[in-house]
Amino acid sequence: MIKKIRIIIIVLFVTILNTHCQDMKPQKKINISEATMKIDSCGLYYKGKRLDLGTPVSDWEKVLGKPSRNTNLALVWDDLGIAIDDWQNEGERGKVAAVFVFFINLNSPEGKAGQLNFAREYEVITEDWKKNILENINYSIDENKARLKEILEENAPKNFIYPFTTYEGYVDLHGFPVGAGMAVAEINSYRKDSPYSGLFGYVDDDIDGVNDSGNTTETFGGDYRAPGEECKDNRLQYYELTYTATGALEYLKIGYESLSASKDRKQRDKDREKSQKTSK
């Protein structure tokens, strides 16, 4: 009996040891020395040229060139896999409020299935679909042609924020990689000792402990945010990862805190500090 117990203990010990060793596997070596985009604690570099959020779009065009398209949501560089938002921060139209780096686009399975965050209504118009519209006996030939033209226009890729080609390689985010196919846990594994920003956690905009991004297996997908540091005008440069419901990394967003969000954050900090002093 004692012998059996000893054998069981040895087996359990070996199992625990193996599990511990697996957990301590070294991180995959990813070379980001030649990353096209390098993000600093404040601002970023594109091919070695400095760019700052909160500055005019014209400054960005000097580095990136003229954008390929201007959608309702952003200016898009189709050949770079990048888009910038110049309207999100109130009263600051024409200044860069956010940068999007895309790792998948409309040509992806998720895009064709209408699962992307900014293209939920996108549909691929097949030849069979076109034929059915044109041959609909309930409408005249001209009406069918007009309906098809309208549907094609609504679903034209040029209307969506997603670049025609995705960003190539990895982004150097504070010295750590972010790239296509990477899960939140993998990205966070590099960032646990980051000097600039914390780990990515689910988005909780109203700070009520509820996941506002809907990041569950039953919902559309999810957003994860990492806090940043105060930069220009004492406003945060922050970071978000957006995933589809299939778990694919859709894009990395580098955002510039709006004036109202900055004021609210500072007021919350004051209220929290006051509450802590009162409770002592």
Side-chain angles (χ1 to χ4, degrees), residues 21-278:
C21 289
Q22 289 174 1
D23 291 339
M24 293 180 64
K25 283 182 179 179
Q27 294 169 333
K28 181 173 62 176
K29 294 293 184 181
I30 296 177
N31 182 13
I32 56 173
S33 62
E34 297 183 4
T36 303
M37 182 174 287
K38 177 181 179 181
I39 300 166
D40 215 335
S41 57
C42 290
L44 55 91
Y45 294 86
Y46 188 84
K47 292 186 175 180
K49 296 181 179 179
R50 178 78 182 185
L51 291 166
D52 290 287
L53 281 79
T55 56
V57 171
S58 57
D59 290 352
W60 289 64
E61 290 179 342
K62 292 175 184 176
V63 174
L64 303 178
K66 292 291 183 181
S68 310
R69 295 178 286 125
N70 187 354
T71 70
N72 289 331
L73 289 176
L75 300 170
V76 182
W77 281 260
D78 282 319
D79 55 337
L80 305 182
I82 294 171
I84 61 174
D85 165 5
D86 71 329
W87 62 271
Q88 184 171 281
N89 288 349
E90 64 280 358
E92 297 183 305
R93 185 84 190 195
K95 293 186 177 180
V96 179
V99 187
F100 298 87
V101 183
F102 291 94
F103 300 106
I104 58 177
N105 60 13
L106 292 176
N107 285 329
S108 66
E110 292 83 2
K112 293 175 181 178
Q115 295 179 336
L116 300 183
N117 187 56
F118 293 121
R120 302 186 190 188
E121 298 177 358
Y122 175 70
E123 295 181 277
V124 178
I125 313 302
T126 63
E127 292 303 317
D128 286 341
W129 192 354
K130 292 179 185 178
K131 183 179 178 182
N132 289 336
I133 293 173
L134 293 173
E135 295 179 356
N136 191 328
I137 61 174
N138 295 315
Y139 301 93
S140 68
I141 293 175
D142 288 340
E143 286 175 327
N144 285 338
K145 288 181 178 179
R147 287 177 60 233
L148 177 58
K149 182 179 179 181
E150 182 180 347
I151 292 172
L152 288 172
E153 178 59 31
E154 288 176 353
N155 289 276
K158 67 178 182 179
N159 297 328
F160 296 89
I161 189 176
Y162 297 90
F164 298 155
T165 57
T166 55
Y167 177 87
E168 292 186 5
Y170 292 94
V171 172
D172 178 345
L173 179 57
H174 305 141
F176 305 104
V178 174
M182 294 183 72
V184 176
E186 182 182 1
I187 293 171
N188 276 341
S189 71
Y190 291 95
R191 295 181 58 77
K192 58 186 178 182
D193 297 321
S194 171
Y196 297 126
S197 179
L199 301 179
F200 282 95
Y202 69 74
V203 172
D204 180 14
D205 285 325
D206 50 8
I207 319 178
D208 62 354
V210 177
N211 186 345
D212 299 324
S213 74
N215 180 42
T216 70
T217 56
E218 291 81 24
T219 57
F220 180 73
D223 305 320
Y224 293 81
R225 182 177 297 164
E229 292 196 356
E230 290 188 348
C231 298
K232 190 173 181 287
D233 300 325
N234 296 319
R235 289 153 66 180
L236 290 177
Q237 177 173 299
Y238 63 92
Y239 316 94
E240 287 184 6
L241 301 169
T242 291
Y243 286 83
T244 67
T246 60
L249 176 55
E250 190 174 325
Y251 59 79
L252 165 66
K253 172 184 175 183
I254 305 100
Y256 179 54
E257 187 179 40
S258 67
L259 281 168
S260 60
S262 176
K263 291 178 182 178
D264 291 343
R265 174 176 56 84
K266 290 170 184 175
Q267 186 60 52
R268 287 196 302 270
D269 290 343
K270 288 180 181 179
D271 293 343
R272 189 181 299 111
E273 185 178 345
K274 184 178 179 180
S275 177
Q276 290 173 346
K277 288 181 179 179
T278 303

